[in-house]
Amino acid sequence: RDLMPRTLEGQITMEKTPSYFVTKEAPARISSMSKGTKLIVVVRDPVTRAISDYTQTLSKKPDIPTFESLTFKNRTTGLIDTSWSAIQIGIYAKHLENWLLYFPSGQILFVSGERLISDPAGELGRVQDFLGLKRIITDKHFYFNKTKGFPCLKKAEGSSKPHCLGKTKGRTHPDIDQEVVQRLRDFYRPFNMKFYQMTGQDFGWD
């Protein structure tokens, strides 16, 4: 609470840390600070997420083992290594169970990472509604950057320049053995189905 800026009536204070969702202690701590906190979680296809996670690590440590070798505890039997964080993070249903012990589902909004790219204004419309804000951000605020593969804000507040995601985003993913990708799809399917049921949203990851 001490790290949060002072907020006037009618203002919203926001804070983002990607690791909150997968940190076991976070729900209880946030709940004890403020039970009324609204939570927003951006999720994407867990297979793509795992490959993206690996790509980011690879850019910092080029000598790490291949994605394929890190995915399996035993490649012959096809046993997935769920202790590897790149895999573990995408088991969204498991992490959500922990949050639902402390927060009602109506206080959590799940934003589709895929729809943030294909329809940023529509997805941000849901965010604005969830936060009780007037819908100010619309289609006219975005243009699609073909090089990055992401939408960019036409004009950032107080600046005449458009705002795009930084150079660490939109990296080209390495070619992954399609059989490994399929094994991962099969592995995540039951967890995804459970997540769809828990959130009442079908994210279409298959």
Side-chain angles (χ1 to χ4, degrees), residues 10-26:
Q11 289 183 322
I12 293 177
T13 301
M14 295 188 80
E15 200 277 342
K16 73 175 178 74
T17 298
S19 57
Y20 282 157
F21 187 57
V22 297
T23 302
K24 216 169 173 44
E25 302 79 12

Side-chain angles (χ1 to χ4, degrees), residues 43 109-117 119-129 135 201 203:
V43 287
L109 178 72
F110 287 92
V111 173
S112 160
E114 287 79 16
R115 284 197 295 270
L116 263 185
I117 294 170
D119 177 22
E123 207 60 3
L124 283 172
R126 292 179 60 238
V127 172
Q128 290 169 99
D129 293 348
R135 283 201 179 202
Q201 270 177 267
F203 290 89

